Amino acid sequence: FIDISKATLSIKDLEKKLQGLDEVADVRFEEPKPAPYEVIHFPVLHGNSRAIIMGLDTFAALWEGFEGILTPSGLEAVLYNVGKKIGTRTATGLKGKYGLESKDLISAIVQAEKALGWGIVEFQDIDFKGLTGTIIVKESFEALARQRKPYKVCHWTRGYFAGCMSVAFGKPVEAVEVKCLATSAENCEFKIKWKI
């Protein structure tokens, strides 16, 4: 990407010069008008999968709509189970495609969460024998979208971690949210424990 706002060449001349370079595969000019949206990267990809970008306000409206139909406890169950399936699928895909195991798999999950804008994830005290650990999420998208709630809201994320860690551990585990940014905690915190 280059900013051409102060270029001394015309766009056509600049395009010719850039296309003449061996290192350049494609040249496209996009002007962000009437609003400053980045449109060059369509379709947006996450790894090899097509992705979408959704603003937190849109996400919040979507979740509030679901909660109005399902009630908070009904939505909690749905989100946890869906998150767990997606976490299992994600971790299984990373494990199979890249041959990742244990700590390397966890590192890839951390990268994926950050790349998708879901939050900044830190794994702490992960015990592969005892099937336990702590996961801290800074800037959780779920909590930021649903702030100022009297209850914890990161059920999709909780399920996602349960699914991912079940694959990483090779045995089923559950995740419990013990702190939530939506309830004014500094960060979201999840405890992983063996599923009885």
Side-chain angles (χ1 to χ4, degrees):
F1 297 97
I2 58 173
D3 177 2
I4 62 166
S5 61
K6 296 180 182 171
T8 57
L9 297 173
S10 71
I11 289 179
K12 286 190 180 215
D13 290 340
L14 184 57
E15 185 176 8
K16 283 182 186 177
K17 272 199 175 273
L18 290 171
Q19 286 175 335
L21 299 173
D22 291 337
E23 298 85 8
V24 175
D26 185 28
V27 177
R28 286 187 286 164
F29 291 96
E30 294 278 349
E31 188 173 2
K33 281 189 175 181
Y37 289 107
E38 192 278 293
V39 295
I40 289 178
H41 281 101
F42 186 84
V44 176
L45 297 178
H46 178 66
N48 293 327
S49 297
R50 166 98 186 265
I52 63 167
I53 296 172
M54 183 184 303
L56 284 179
D57 55 343
T58 303
F59 176 80
L62 183 67
W63 253 226
E64 294 296 327
F66 288 154
E67 192 174 70
I69 296 167
L70 299 171
T71 73
S73 62
L75 181 61
E76 176 182 331
V78 169
L79 292 176
Y80 183 78
N81 287 315
V82 169
K84 193 169 186 178
K85 286 181 181 183
I86 293 169
T88 300
R89 188 180 73 191
T90 299
T92 301
L94 288 169
K95 183 178 180 177
K97 185 169 186 170
Y98 301 105
L100 302 175
E101 297 286 340
S102 57
K103 291 181 182 178
D104 289 335
L105 181 55
I106 289 171
S107 292
I109 292 164
V110 168
Q111 290 174 12
E113 290 271 322
K114 192 172 184 181
L116 289 168
W118 293 348
I120 300 168
V121 180
E122 296 175 7
F123 284 79
Q124 300 175 350
D125 305 318
I126 301 300
D127 180 354
F128 284 88
K129 290 182 182 177
L131 308 178
T132 61
T134 300
I135 302 170
I136 306 294
V137 181
K138 298 175 183 175
E139 303 290 321
S140 166
F141 80 101
E142 255 183 306
L144 288 172
R146 306 186 71 226
Q147 291 182 46
R148 295 177 297 280
K149 294 286 186 184
Y151 46 86
K152 298 171 189 78
V153 300
C154 300
H155 305 297
W156 186 91
T157 302
R158 185 170 63 89
Y160 180 82
F161 286 134
C164 287
M165 294 309 292
S166 293
V167 174
F169 286 151
K171 293 186 179 172
V173 293
E174 296 295 340
V176 177
E177 187 174 21
V178 295
K179 293 181 185 175
C180 186
L181 179 66
T183 63
S184 300
E186 185 177 353
N187 298 303
C188 296
E189 183 176 323
F190 303 87
K191 295 289 184 186
I192 303 298
K193 62 182 185 176
W194 179 56
K195 182 177 179 179
I196 299 174

